[in-house]
Amino acid sequence: CLKMAEEESQEFKLKVNSELRFEVEHKASAEIEMIEGSGEMFGTELAKNKKYAFVSGSKVAIYTWHGCVLKLKGKTEVAYVSTETPMTVYVNTHAALEQMRSKAEEDSTRGPRILVVGPTDVGKSTLCRLLTNYAVRLGRSPVLADIDVGQGNMGLPGTIGALVVERTADIEEGFLNTAPLVFHYGHKSPNDNFQLYNMLVLRLAEIINVRCEQSKKVNSSGVIINTAGWIRGAGYEALKQAAGAFEVDVICVLDQERLYNQLKGDLPDFVKIVLLPKSGGVVERSQAIRADSRDSRIREYFYGLKNNLFPHTFDVKFNDVKIFKIGAPSLPESCLPLGMKSQDSQTKLVPLVPAMSLLHHVLSVSAATTVDHDIVETNVLGFLVVTNVDMDKSVFTVLSPSPRPLPQTILLVMDIQFMDIK
Ligand code: ATP
């Protein structure tokens, strides 16, 4: 066994401005240790002689500005060193943002708001992580927002959210999202309920504005916004709406000249639009892998990245909660009450009578305390999965990160399902 472990260990000597890229095999793990020099992963510095573990399917790049020696152990699908990276362009972008932050700090105004856009698999999330980390390393506290409902980096897939970042991302676990602000959307594509999506993006932006007004430091640090890779048709409209909602100053377009030109033509001149190259290391993901990664994200919420959390399972009486979904099927305008548009039904709260159809659905626990609240625009506290419905006893069983009782009793149903099979 020891021999095998030895065989699997590889050493890489990285020269200046190069990176080691690797992908951890499915159902395997890998470990990296920096034994000399200095290196960073998506903007977070590695500590020397510390072992970092990566779970199945992780796609990692360790970059070095000055050279380092790395020891890689475990099962990796590919592991190679590349000297072709866009890191210099990215760090220059960061430097330009930093100038805007310094100016904002001096003038007590708002720091840069950056929207990161581009097609799927160009490294949008990674660039957001990098820019956020670099800002934090200089003592800033930017807001990182994510409006990519397919991944749901702040909450679960089917949500959008934001958090104030005060520490660099953990190498293994990413940003600590202990208190993110999360809104329930319920679907995995913005197209499923376009109206609701845009409304929630606007709401998120409003709350971020309030947060910025409360702290001079957060305000001058700015906002970094990650978007979905949906850039055509309504997806493009959604990006423009988001740019307006967040009043962005800068748009970083990754790897698509067409989108860059389109935005340049459509947005006002004060929005600075920059075209950035993608990294050759970003790996393309098939639809199947995306679905898998959504599933892992939900599993991780309940069980932890390394199976280190222990969720609870308990029964909830139908009578003890109120369940809603957002958006009624649209009716032709002629069937609606006078004055109501069919769009309005998309953002309407619809009460649900508990039924077998709830099984396996993800539920968001709303922070709203009464039904008189504007539940659609209220943030959520956490998530449950329905693992059983007993119509005879009028109870359903939930998987929950915390023991009973539920923190609140207004629940919102997602389209998204999760099967709790290991
Ligand atoms: P999506 O379209 O799903 O939103 P995206 O454009 O945000 O994707 P990322 O999630 O940033 O892309 O990157 C895709 C994958 O590639 C991630 O698993 C990330 O860890 C990996 N990755 C990013 N940069 C590199 C790199 N330089 N080398 C190796 N892997 C990388």
Side-chain angles (χ1 to χ4, degrees):
C1 175
L2 209 111
K3 189 161 172 280
M4 216 176 93
E6 278 300 308
E7 273 170 10
E8 284 168 9
S9 162
Q10 293 168 271
E11 205 170 279
F12 294 90
K13 286 193 176 64
L14 271 66
K15 296 206 182 86
V16 288
N17 297 344
S18 62
E19 74 183 12
L20 169 67
R21 297 171 181 160
F22 61 90
E23 244 184 279
V24 182
E25 262 185 33
H26 191 56
K27 297 211 156 112
S29 62
E31 201 177 80
I32 193 111
E33 182 184 348
M34 186 177 69
I35 47 180
E36 247 180 84
S38 62
E40 57 184 47
M41 176 185 158
F42 308 141
T44 308
E45 286 171 298
L46 267 69
K48 210 161 139 187
N49 297 324
K50 185 170 168 177
K51 293 183 173 116
Y52 297 99
F54 296 97
V55 296
S56 152
S58 304
K59 298 169 183 68
V60 182
I62 311 288
Y63 182 82
T64 178
W65 292 100
H66 306 291
C68 68
V69 180
L70 299 167
K71 217 161 137 182
L72 176 63
K73 246 186 201 174
K75 294 198 169 153
T76 50
E77 264 178 34
V78 278
Y80 67 99
V81 176
S82 174
T83 48
E84 299 281 318
T85 79
M87 286 293 281
T88 309
V89 188
Y90 292 173
V91 82
N92 285 341
T93 307
H94 157 74
L97 297 173
E98 195 43 38
Q99 275 186 4
M100 294 168 83
R101 291 187 188 108
S102 299
K103 180 131 196 347
E105 195 175 22
E106 270 167 35
D107 304 348
S108 291
T109 54
R110 205 157 89 173
R113 296 187 164 198
I114 312 113
L115 193 70
V116 175
V117 305
T120 47
D121 299 320
V122 287
K124 295 182 295 299
S125 314
T126 307
L127 179 64
C128 288
R129 178 165 171 169
L130 185 87
L131 293 177
T132 308
N133 273 333
Y134 281 176
V136 171
R137 276 166 64 179
L138 293 181
R140 308 285 183 197
S141 300
V143 173
L144 178 62
D146 201 312
I147 56 170
D148 181 358
V149 285
Q151 320 244 313
N153 290 322
M154 300 293 165
L156 287 192
T159 66
I160 62 168
L163 86 161
V164 176
V165 184
E166 265 150 353
R167 284 217 240 150
T168 53
D170 182 78
I171 294 278
E172 297 169 353
E173 310 237 352
F175 290 108
L176 291 177
N177 17 3
T178 37
L181 173 73
V182 177
F183 290 98
H184 167 103
Y185 168 67
H187 317 270
K188 55 182 191 289
S189 160
N191 207 19
D192 291 329
N193 189 340
F194 196 55
Q195 186 86 15
L196 175 65
Y197 179 75
N198 287 325
M199 180 172 150
L200 293 176
V201 167
L202 196 60
R203 176 75 179 141
L204 181 66
E206 270 170 20
I207 301 212
I208 290 174
N209 283 344
V210 173
R211 184 71 182 79
C212 287
E213 275 159 26
Q214 290 164 348
S215 157
K216 208 175 154 235
K217 186 173 174 191
V218 173
N219 196 29
S220 62
S221 298
V223 183
I224 297 168
I225 309 141
N226 188 24
T227 62
W230 183 45
I231 53 171
R232 282 177 187 267
Y236 179 70
E237 290 308 314
L239 288 182
K240 279 199 300 185
Q241 294 233 19
F246 286 98
E247 297 169 325
V248 301
D249 311 283
V250 181
I251 303 186
C252 295
V253 185
L254 274 171
D255 193 49
Q256 212 193 65
E257 228 176 313
R258 196 185 67 92
L259 178 63
Y260 166 78
N261 282 313
Q262 216 177 348
L263 287 166
K264 263 196 122 107
D266 287 349
L267 291 181
D269 288 344
F270 59 79
V271 183
K272 204 167 159 30
I273 303 173
V274 284
L275 180 64
L276 299 176
K278 80 164 193 181
S279 164
V282 182
V283 192
E284 272 187 33
R285 286 174 290 183
S286 62
Q287 286 300 352
I289 295 182
R290 273 171 201 280
D292 255 15
S293 94
R294 261 195 296 276
D295 234 47
S296 332
R297 181 71 197 92
I298 302 176
R299 169 168 305 284
E300 185 191 323
Y301 173 78
F302 290 103
Y303 291 95
L305 191 62
K306 295 176 187 160
N307 261 324
N308 49 342
L309 301 180
F310 302 93
H312 300 256
T313 298
F314 52 86
D315 287 347
V316 179
K317 288 192 196 126
F318 290 171
N319 275 340
D320 287 348
V321 291
K322 290 195 171 63
I323 307 177
F324 296 94
K325 72 173 190 134
I326 305 171
S330 17
L331 293 171
E333 224 122 292
S334 57
C335 302
L336 294 171
L338 205 64
M340 190 175 166
K341 293 203 190 75
S342 65
Q343 294 173 348
D344 299 341
S345 67
Q346 296 262 291
T347 54
K348 206 177 141 208
L349 201 60
V350 183
L352 286 189
V353 179
M356 279 313 290
S357 56
L358 278 182
L359 191 60
H360 303 312
H361 279 268
V362 179
L363 305 175
S364 304
V365 181
S366 175
T369 44
T370 71
V371 285
D372 302 331
H373 265 107
D374 184 356
I375 294 171
V376 179
E377 292 198 286
T378 300
N379 64 306
V380 299
L381 301 172
F383 307 93
L384 309 166
V385 169
V386 180
T387 55
N388 189 37
V389 183
D390 188 332
M391 293 306 290
D392 293 334
K393 292 193 185 132
S394 294
V395 295
F396 59 96
T397 313
V398 294
L399 182 68
S400 160
S402 48
R404 85 174 95 203
L406 294 174
Q408 287 298 342
T409 55
I410 294 174
L411 309 176
L412 301 169
V413 185
M414 289 207 192
D415 256 5
I416 299 166
Q417 296 183 320
F418 175 71
M419 302 273 239
D420 190 18
I421 321 164
K422 279 187 205 102

